[in-house]
Amino acid sequence: MASKQPDRRLIHKDRFNYVFGSLKTQNYQDPVARGPGSHTIRTLAWNPTGQLIATGSANRTLRIWNPERANARYSTELRGHTAGIEKVVFNPVRDAELASCSSDGTVRFWDVRSKTCVSKLDVGGEAFTLSWSADGRVVMVGRKDDTLVPVSVESASTPTIAIHNGTSSSSSVPLAEQQKSPSTYTILPPHPQNTQTNATTFSYHIPTPSAPDLDLLATTGDGTVRIFSYPSFNLQHTLNAHSSACLALALAPTGRYLAVGGSDALISLWDTTDWVCRRTVSSEGGGTIRGVSWSFDGRFLCGSSEEVGPNGLEIFHAETGDSVHKIPATAGVPAVAWHPTRYWLAYSLMAEGSNAGGLRIVGAAGGGL
């Protein structure tokens, strides 16, 4: 796995609880929420620079927030999907390009600056997950019928943004010129799988003439993670990760570890050099792990679960497996996402009863770290 090293002041794990615990939490409420539970945010994604965060909800609302301004009037609603939003992901090398998928059977690509849908693709079934390759040229769509559908993304312009060593750098191509050269999106042949297939992610490898293939990792319902070579879809490895379904996965920004979340309430950490499980972490009384996210330095991770235990949302230190901080939560946490360059943590709460749900960002209020 290729490595992306962070370049920012780090917090020692023994001080993490004190430092992170001193940060304030900002609340963001969707103004168009209607009905109990209908506006639960299912998915979160930061753009590469961390200047925007996208949220997708059960009530079809796709919204782009400015984390510095909690009032919804500073946000942008992107309309078009006719069913709940299942996943949102920003292009890792173009900070204004967003992909979203929905159970309406479509994947939509958006220019968040112009607030427009630049492409709508019918992927032939209910889409519930997405992942983007590190070079921004492939999006992998997962359908609920356990079919993976690649989408080729071609752009005539140099990427807007690139993240290297934990910092961002701008393209030399003027923004106005980039917008004149929109991307083109092409659905490639689908690849049905012979087992329940859940989340996917790509390795950080950038294709070269001498090493053109990518690693595509997929969690499955039989407790394994399958590692394919893309675009051939040849199976390279199978990790026997959990005793029950694996639902979520995420590579650390350093590329050193793969975190896998399962329905057994565990997160397993795999060394990507030899594919050995180094440790597992879990929250007391926690439930099925629906998502996992790494801090920008690859040292801390957090999992999301719709069945939150007495510890609420728990943050772990990857190297030791120690629990370093707990965030109280009065409801389930469907989605969680660390900021790409700061110790900010975004998460959503289930909307139920008197709880209004919505987006929370630890660190956004008062500047953070």
Side-chain angles (χ1 to χ4, degrees):
M1 296 287 176
S3 176
K4 298 192 295 182
Q5 296 297 327
D7 181 19
R8 193 173 174 86
R9 182 172 64 91
L10 307 181
I11 302 177
H12 190 276
K13 81 174 186 69
D14 293 338
R15 284 183 48 81
F16 189 90
N17 187 57
Y18 171 77
V19 176
F20 193 80
S22 68
L23 301 180
K24 296 180 180 179
T25 300
Q26 187 70 268
N27 297 340
Y28 306 74
Q29 292 296 331
D30 193 320
V32 299
R34 297 289 186 273
S38 68
H39 58 292
T40 292
I41 293 172
R42 292 174 172 170
T43 177
L44 303 170
W46 293 95
N47 77 337
T49 59
Q51 296 173 323
L52 301 172
I53 185 168
T55 60
S57 303
N59 68 348
R60 303 174 296 184
T61 301
L62 176 57
R63 190 169 294 279
I64 310 300
W65 299 87
N66 176 350
E68 308 273 358
R69 294 172 177 258
N71 195 306
R73 69 185 181 189
Y74 297 110
S75 69
T76 298
E77 184 182 355
L78 302 177
R79 300 180 181 180
H81 282 297
T82 58
I85 311 298
E86 300 290 344
K87 188 75 172 181
V88 292
V89 188
F90 276 96
N91 187 330
V93 295
R94 293 172 68 91
D95 64 340
E97 186 173 13
L98 177 74
S100 62
C101 71
S102 166
S103 51
D104 64 11
T106 69
V107 173
R108 293 173 182 257
F109 293 88
W110 308 84
D111 183 331
V112 300
R113 286 198 179 94
S114 63
K115 307 175 185 179
T116 57
C117 176
V118 295
S119 184
K120 171 189 171 184
L121 301 179
D122 185 338
V123 294
E126 296 183 60
F128 77 102
T129 189
L130 295 170
S131 58
W132 216 312
S133 64
D135 62 359
R137 294 184 177 180
V138 180
V139 170
M140 189 60 62
V141 182
R143 295 193 325 218
K144 291 183 179 179
D145 64 355
D146 304 318
T147 299
L148 297 177
V149 183
V151 176
S152 172
V153 182
E154 297 293 337
S155 174
S157 67
T158 304
T160 302
I161 206 77
I163 298 293
H164 298 290
N165 300 327
T167 61
S168 60
S169 59
S170 298
S171 164
S172 59
V173 179
L175 174 61
E177 187 171 330
Q178 293 175 36
Q179 292 175 336
K180 293 178 183 177
S181 304
S183 298
T184 58
Y185 309 89
T186 305
I187 297 178
L188 303 178
H191 289 261
Q193 302 300 300
N194 59 10
T195 188
Q196 177 186 327
T197 301
N198 301 312
T200 64
T201 192
F202 283 97
S203 65
Y204 294 134
H205 169 66
I206 302 295
T208 63
S210 60
D213 290 351
L214 302 175
D215 286 333
L216 173 68
L217 300 86
T219 56
T220 75
D222 61 11
T224 64
V225 176
R226 293 182 171 186
I227 304 175
F228 300 95
S229 177
Y230 180 83
S232 68
F233 278 88
N234 291 330
L235 184 63
Q236 305 294 311
H237 304 284
T238 299
L239 308 181
N240 295 306
H242 289 251
S243 60
S244 57
C246 296
L247 300 173
L249 79 173
L251 278 168
T254 59
R256 180 175 181 181
Y257 289 118
L258 172 72
V260 181
S263 59
D264 54 6
L266 297 174
I267 301 174
S268 57
L269 301 181
W270 296 78
D271 191 317
T272 60
T273 59
D274 53 15
W275 296 118
V276 170
C277 181
R278 296 303 180 191
R279 62 195 56 86
T280 61
V281 300
S282 64
S283 296
E284 180 184 353
T288 296
I289 304 298
R290 298 286 179 182
V292 287
S293 182
W294 291 88
S295 60
F296 71 91
D297 53 9
R299 297 169 67 239
F300 304 100
L301 77 155
C302 188
S304 62
S305 174
E306 294 177 3
E307 308 106 37
V308 171
N311 290 331
L313 193 60
E314 198 158 3
I315 298 171
F316 299 93
H317 181 246
E319 287 297 335
T320 62
D322 294 341
S323 173
V324 293
H325 186 71
K326 300 178 180 69
I327 301 172
T330 57
V333 179
V336 63
W338 283 96
H339 189 282
T341 61
R342 309 183 72 164
Y343 287 116
W344 289 9
L345 183 65
Y347 64 97
S348 62
L349 287 178
M350 297 282 289
E352 53 186 30
S354 60
N355 173 49
L359 170 66
R360 308 283 190 273
I361 303 179
V362 181
L369 299 172

